[in-house]
Amino acid sequence: MTDLSHLARLVEELGNAKILCIGDVMLDRFVYGSVTRISPEAPIPVIRVQRESAMLGGAGNVVRNATALGASVKFLSMVGDDLPGREVMEYVASDERVEPYIQIERNRPTTIKTRFIAGGQQLLRSDNETTSPPAETTLVHIGDLAAQLTPDVNAVVLSDYGKGLVNSHLIRATIDAARAAGKTVIVDPKGNDYSRYRGATLVTPNRAEAEAATGIAVNNDEDAIRAARHIIENCGIENVLLTRSQDGMTLVPASGDAIHLPTEAREVYDVSGAGDTVVACLAASIAAGSTITDAARIANVAAGIVVGKIGTAVVYPDELITLLHHHDLMIGEAKLMKLDRMVDRVERWRRKGYKVGFTNGCFDLLHPGHISLLQQARSQCDRLVIGLNSDASVKRLKGETRPVQSEAARAAVLGSLETVSGVVIFDEDTPIEVISALKPDILVKGADYTIDTVVGADIVQGYGGKVFLAQLADGFSTTSTIARMNKKPD
């Protein structure tokens, strides 16, 4: 078994990981639009808002990444008694892999970070937050909860964003409880004094954080080792994983040789949340039984994937396994995926400014009529997603003798076409559920339909999308092809 195959096997075990994540949760808002002019009031761009979205940020993004990898997470955090806080609670509650322990602190705002994006680039970020500590009773209660929850997990994460929750009392209570229970503690640190994390198994500073904490400029591998050794020797930390952006990562253990991991990124679009991905992947891997070295290698691959996505994104096990098995392939090459994964991919395309099209069908025996339809559909958009009827759906619609080709075979053929960007198999008779979830900018059907009879047209037009009717190539259909094949010779 090769080293990469070994790591792929470890990724397959991430669903067994149980993690306790403690830290500052935030609400990440994204405002997308276009910029076509400069304000007459000041030399600043005017963004014309087109849509908005929100997701968990801060420690919440660590949780999102961990559950995307398949881990189960107990999440201990705090929000304000306000609408954003309730929104955070709803997002946490919607993830079945999360067991929430979210405390509500009155007279304290929930942290919100709002990013304004146009043309695939961030224009501005605004923060609404407080860094003052919460009430002493809240901190004591959270510390007690941390001690109670630690024995039931395999690894503990302290995600310190410096917003007041992860104070010295909570850090000490958590690390002491973890050490008593023989659990790994991973800290995403904040501030200059890492001695407050004394006893932690692993800390994960980035280059700037390590420089601030040690006074050592990290310009090369040797500097990275010196800075990490300084933290280990002066702060009582067992291991340091220093993330160095384009220079990869450096893992320095308390004893033994340092390991330098070169960056795995093919194309960098956005580094937002990459540190959260690293921490989540480390914790999930270690909790599933990996060594710290193997966990760091997996986390390095995960970081290379996530920086190729715009916004605070997550990484999925199949992405890791695909890249590990086929290291020379571009990330995300596989086109067939489940609906929730396709929703995530479509969202990333939109962040890059791509227009997304959608069409659907059985595509049983692919013929020139299908090719013409797909070419016309792709001419209307930047990325084209195909909704493919499952075998059961085709059988209900076309009869017991259909389909001729299985859904896997039909999806493989469609995925091989350059015009097709993604394929989703649906089991219903119509693609309403898929259309509602993906919200395509362009909905495409053949001109044998009218706009009024196209399934999902009302949904797409309702949010400002368009319906395109493609011209049909005469003389081609799967049914007539099968009939000719079954016709007995005279």
Side-chain angles (χ1 to χ4, degrees):
M1 185 189 301
T2 67
D3 183 52
L4 293 179
S5 295
H6 167 65
L7 295 181
R9 292 283 183 88
L10 295 177
V11 172
E12 292 173 354
E13 299 298 318
L14 296 182
N16 298 321
K18 295 180 180 179
I19 300 168
L20 169 61
C21 181
I22 306 169
D24 302 295
V25 70
M26 307 173 192
L27 188 64
D28 278 351
R29 293 197 188 281
F30 296 87
V31 180
Y32 300 97
S34 59
V35 173
T36 58
R37 63 192 180 97
I38 300 298
S39 171
E41 303 167 357
I44 56 173
V46 175
I47 182 170
R48 184 175 182 181
V49 176
Q50 295 169 333
R51 62 189 181 86
E52 301 182 21
S53 65
M55 63 184 66
L56 294 176
N61 192 42
V62 176
V63 172
R64 288 179 61 233
N65 273 273
T67 59
L69 291 168
S72 299
V73 182
K74 298 179 187 293
F75 186 26
L76 181 50
S77 190
M78 177 183 64
V79 295
D81 186 14
D82 51 21
L83 286 174
R86 285 186 276 280
E87 191 171 350
V88 166
M89 300 279 273
E90 289 175 3
Y91 281 122
V92 172
S94 67
D95 192 333
E96 61 183 14
R97 292 185 177 275
V98 179
E99 186 177 319
Y101 295 86
I102 309 298
Q103 310 303 301
I104 298 175
E105 178 83 347
R106 296 184 181 278
N107 302 317
R108 181 185 182 88
T110 301
T111 300
I112 307 170
K113 294 185 181 296
T114 305
R115 296 171 175 87
F116 297 84
I117 300 171
Q121 299 292 325
Q122 273 196 46
L123 302 180
L124 176 70
R125 192 184 89 180
S126 66
D127 294 356
N128 181 16
E129 63 184 19
T130 180
T131 58
S132 60
E136 185 66 27
T137 54
T138 300
L139 290 173
V140 171
H141 179 59
I142 291 177
D144 291 343
L145 273 175
Q148 294 169 21
L149 296 172
T150 295
D152 297 328
V153 300
N154 309 115
V156 178
V157 172
L158 275 170
S159 182
D160 189 354
Y161 270 82
K163 306 306 177 189
L165 174 65
V166 185
N167 73 344
S168 297
H169 172 81
L170 179 58
I171 293 169
R172 195 74 271 132
T174 301
I175 293 178
D176 288 348
R179 291 182 68 88
K183 311 297 183 180
T184 296
V185 181
I186 300 164
V187 179
D188 189 2
K190 200 74 173 178
N192 300 336
D193 181 13
Y194 287 10
S195 64
R196 64 203 297 255
Y197 307 119
R198 184 174 300 276
T201 311
L202 177 68
V203 295
T204 63
N206 60 32
R207 189 200 310 266
E209 290 168 340
E211 290 176 344
T214 64
I216 299 171
V218 180
N219 298 316
N220 51 45
D221 291 351
E222 290 71 26
D223 292 341
I225 295 173
R226 283 201 304 123
R229 291 282 183 214
H230 182 280
I231 293 170
I232 291 170
E233 293 167 4
N234 291 279
C235 303
I237 308 295
E238 293 181 21
N239 305 271
V240 174
L241 180 65
L242 203 163
T243 59
R244 300 164 54 198
S245 189
Q246 73 274 9
D247 295 322
M249 302 179 182
T250 298
L251 175 64
V252 180
S255 60
D257 296 332
I259 298 172
H260 299 292
L261 303 171
T263 180
E264 296 286 347
R266 266 46 173 191
E267 192 170 16
V268 177
Y269 281 101
D270 196 337
V271 298
S272 300
D276 298 329
T277 300
V278 169
V279 171
C281 202
L282 283 168
S285 300
I286 292 170
S290 298
T291 64
I292 289 178
T293 299
D294 283 341
R297 288 174 173 151
I298 295 170
N300 189 45
V301 175
I305 294 172
V306 81
V307 296
K309 306 177 180 182
I310 291 180
T312 48
V314 298
V315 175
Y316 296 94
D318 59 343
E319 292 177 302
L320 283 168
I321 291 170
T322 295
L323 193 58
L324 288 167
H325 277 316
H326 309 284
H327 210 245
D328 57 337
L329 296 181
M330 291 299 290
I331 294 166
E333 188 160 303
K335 294 179 182 178
L336 174 63
M337 58 187 65
K338 293 182 179 179
L339 181 57
D340 58 344
R341 288 286 322 284
M342 188 60 75
V343 169
D344 183 72
R345 175 167 287 186
V346 166
E347 178 67 16
R348 299 200 312 265
W349 284 336
R350 287 206 176 96
R351 290 177 187 173
K352 295 177 183 179
Y354 297 149
K355 183 181 293 184
V356 179
F358 177 87
T359 191
N360 65 278
C362 301
F363 298 98
D364 197 355
L365 294 177
L366 208 64
H367 53 68
H370 290 138
I371 300 300
S372 174
L373 171 70
L374 296 176
Q375 288 174 336
Q376 292 178 69
R378 184 56 185 271
S379 72
Q380 301 296 309
C381 59
D382 301 305
R383 296 290 184 270
L384 177 62
V385 178
I386 307 299
L388 182 66
N389 292 76
S390 69
D391 289 348
S393 178
V394 175
K395 192 176 295 290
R396 290 195 302 271
L397 295 172
K398 301 290 186 178
E400 289 298 317
T401 60
R402 301 282 298 277
V404 175
Q405 306 244 46
S406 70
E407 59 192 47
R410 290 181 283 127
V413 172
L414 285 169
S416 70
L417 301 177
E418 187 177 358
T419 51
V420 175
S421 308
V423 180
V424 175
I425 296 174
F426 64 94
D427 199 44
E428 299 76 21
D429 291 345
T430 74
I432 281 290
E433 181 180 344
V434 180
I435 293 170
S436 298
L438 297 181
K439 294 182 174 59
D441 302 291
I442 304 289
L443 178 60
V444 180
K445 287 297 287 185
D448 52 338
Y449 286 82
T450 64
I451 289 180
D452 291 340
T453 59
V454 172
V455 171
D458 55 337
I459 296 173
V460 174
Q461 291 176 320
Y463 56 72
K466 297 180 180 179
V467 179
F468 174 75
L469 299 180
Q471 295 301 308
L472 299 180
D474 294 333
F476 299 102
S477 79
T478 301
T479 301
S480 61
T481 300
I482 294 173
R484 287 196 300 272
M485 292 171 60
N486 292 333
K487 185 178 180 181
K488 294 181 180 179
D490 295 333

